[in-house]
Amino acid sequence: MGGFSVFEAMERYQYEQIIHMYDQATGLKGITVIHNTTLGPALGGTRIWNYASDEEALVDCLRLARGMTYKSAAAGLNLGGGKTVLIGDASKLKSEAYFRALGRYVQSLNGRYITAEDVNTSTKDMSYVAMETNHVVGLEGKSGNPSPVTALGVFHGVKAGLQQKFGNSDIDRYTFAVQGAGQTGYYLIGYLLEGGAKKIYFTELNPKHIARMQQEHPEVTFVQPDDIFGLDVDVFSPCALGGSLNSDTIPLIKAPVIAGSANNVLLDEDVHGKMIMDRGIIYCPDFVINAGGIINVYHEIHGYNRDNALADATRIYDRLLEILAIAEREHIPSQQAAKVFAQQRIEAIHQLKRTYIPR
Ligand code: NAD
């Protein structure tokens, strides 16, 4: 394994368990990582990827599982962090038996880990997993499309960013630039329009998504992808792909608030988190503001109710205000403050569980 030490990584980041699985009959080959279960069962999706090496797959799975611990903790959920990566070409591997084999591995963890769909897996694939285990969420006919819930959470995150910057979160006072009008950006723009946004600009690469917006909301102005960063607006909302905030784009941004759905939007968390802070821009950390999706599936575990899930997503507003206050008080980038916030919650609940209370 070259210079990479599994146990060193486990010790440094306090991973609980790593499971390697190989099912010869179906070709299922992969890794489940359980990072931390202080708050509850480790939840994280299953992705299939053609990794160049086993080590690359492991490193990715370790990173993603840890990210899930922070995400759920900061979202106030009673969940830990975990992830599964399956190695290979999704188009060749997928079958009923393949996913049922996965389901049997998930079941063998006896509820310590709950899986869901992710990159290259679908709700249909998860329905096969569900034939072998109950520890799977995001199923067809249950919590449904998470994107409107994610977008609602982002909308309330936008309001928190505005509140922190201007001391007022009335949407009708402000202007917005939304990058990406796909699943989440589309719904976010809908919420902003409902809130009476003064002006909204959007950009897109997909002609169908451009046409949909122009037909449904002609008052929302299209700009070319490269022009979205430098607009003179109050909020820049990245709702496209990761890495869009980097050394080239951050200097262009005029908006005093950045708040959007995109995951891993900072190309380099440390470098670009600090660059944004140094420019005096309020940045709503990605894994906090976009937690609506996981909040939505979490509700599936306890019997799904859409209204409860939506109400829970609106609480992203309060949590972001707490996190932005930590960032200001400690003079640290908000992404780092969000991790402090998550760790504090894990530690507090860990302390709480020291006393045995039978239920
Ligand atoms: P999506 O694919 O439906 O939408 C993204 C859109 O961005 C696409 O329409 C694409 O054409 C457009 N796009 C890509 N690059 C662009 C560019 N350079 N300029 C302009 N437009 C560009 O995806 P989504 O579900 O809306 O997710 C968006 C982001 O939010 C992703 O990073 C995703 O991981 C994250 N996220 C989504 C959810 C959810 O519930 N869907 C939950 C949490 C996080």
Side-chain angles (χ1 to χ4, degrees):
M1 273 230 141
F4 180 75
S5 162
V6 176
F7 287 108
E8 209 175 282
M10 288 184 85
E11 189 179 347
R12 179 176 308 160
Y13 296 110
Q14 300 177 331
Y15 288 95
E16 287 179 16
Q17 194 175 6
I18 301 174
I19 301 102
H20 285 76
M21 57 194 129
Y22 180 48
D23 180 64
Q24 209 143 8
T26 59
L28 178 95
K29 192 199 293 179
I31 304 163
T32 295
V33 171
I34 296 178
H35 175 240
N36 185 301
T37 57
T38 305
L39 297 174
L43 191 145
T46 294
R47 72 173 51 178
I48 307 178
W49 199 253
N50 222 341
Y51 291 98
S53 67
D54 296 353
E55 182 177 312
E56 190 184 282
L58 176 60
V59 169
D60 201 32
C61 199
L62 288 166
R63 177 183 68 85
L64 292 165
R66 192 153 54 98
M68 291 308 296
T69 298
Y70 290 125
K71 185 166 196 160
S72 285
L77 305 176
N78 288 323
L79 290 175
K83 198 82 187 179
T84 297
V85 302
L86 301 178
I87 301 165
D89 182 342
S91 64
K92 293 189 184 133
L93 285 166
K94 281 185 170 202
S95 71
E96 176 189 343
Y98 179 84
F99 285 108
R100 289 183 73 160
L102 171 66
R104 294 172 76 81
Y105 280 106
V106 172
Q107 179 61 22
S108 75
L109 291 168
N110 200 28
R112 267 174 61 67
Y113 168 68
I114 301 171
T115 199
E117 66 168 308
D118 197 73
V119 176
N120 284 328
T121 59
S122 66
T123 48
K124 181 169 167 267
D125 300 333
M126 290 305 124
S127 69
Y128 296 131
V129 173
M131 290 177 185
E132 303 293 336
T133 183
N134 289 331
H135 306 300
V136 52
V137 289
L139 296 169
E140 277 168 345
K142 290 224 174 150
S143 64
N145 180 3
S147 303
V149 188
T150 302
L152 183 68
V154 173
F155 175 71
H156 287 275
V158 165
K159 291 183 74 155
L162 288 167
Q163 182 67 31
Q164 179 74 9
K165 189 73 195 179
F166 300 111
N168 180 293
S169 64
D170 294 341
I171 293 294
D172 58 7
R173 291 180 170 211
Y174 302 107
T175 54
F176 303 86
V178 180
Q179 183 192 34
Q183 290 262 37
T184 52
Y186 169 79
Y187 287 109
L188 174 65
I189 289 173
Y191 291 124
L192 293 172
L193 287 168
E194 268 176 40
K198 236 160 91 179
K199 180 73 204 159
I200 306 173
Y201 300 89
F202 84 106
T203 189
E204 245 305 329
L205 298 177
N206 182 334
K208 280 191 190 150
H209 291 171
I210 298 173
R212 171 174 66 172
M213 192 57 68
Q214 288 175 333
Q215 267 160 23
E216 293 182 22
H217 303 297
E219 69 275 34
V220 178
T221 303
F222 175 77
V223 300
Q224 291 301 327
D226 287 346
D227 297 337
I228 196 78
F229 298 99
L231 292 176
D232 199 359
V233 290
D234 298 306
V235 178
F236 173 70
S237 185
C239 297
L241 301 182
S244 81
L245 296 176
N246 53 52
S247 303
D248 295 330
T249 58
I250 294 168
L252 303 175
I253 293 176
K254 295 202 183 90
V257 175
I258 299 176
S261 65
N263 259 329
N264 305 317
V265 70
L266 301 171
L267 186 62
D268 180 314
E269 241 180 56
D270 297 330
V271 173
H272 300 119
K274 180 157 187 322
M275 196 182 263
I276 289 173
M277 179 178 81
D278 291 346
R279 289 211 49 216
I281 298 171
I282 297 290
Y283 168 71
C284 295
D286 53 3
F287 69 89
V288 182
I289 193 170
N290 72 19
I294 192 158
I295 289 171
N296 193 48
V297 292
Y298 175 70
H299 279 262
E300 223 177 87
I301 300 172
H302 306 289
Y304 188 69
N305 175 303
R306 189 74 162 182
D307 291 340
N308 290 346
L310 288 167
D312 219 358
T314 66
R315 297 194 184 100
I316 286 175
Y317 177 86
D318 296 323
R319 280 192 291 270
L320 266 172
L321 282 185
E322 277 187 61
I323 288 163
L324 295 173
I326 295 173
E328 192 175 70
R329 199 172 56 236
E330 310 285 330
H331 304 290
I332 54 173
S334 52
Q335 189 85 358
Q336 206 179 316
K339 289 188 180 165
V340 170
F341 177 83
Q343 267 158 346
Q344 281 175 351
R345 178 163 178 252
I346 294 168
E347 190 48 38
I349 305 305
H350 179 67
Q351 292 297 329
L352 191 76
K353 287 183 179 172
R354 284 190 315 172
T355 43
Y356 173 67
I357 309 289
R359 278 182 81 167

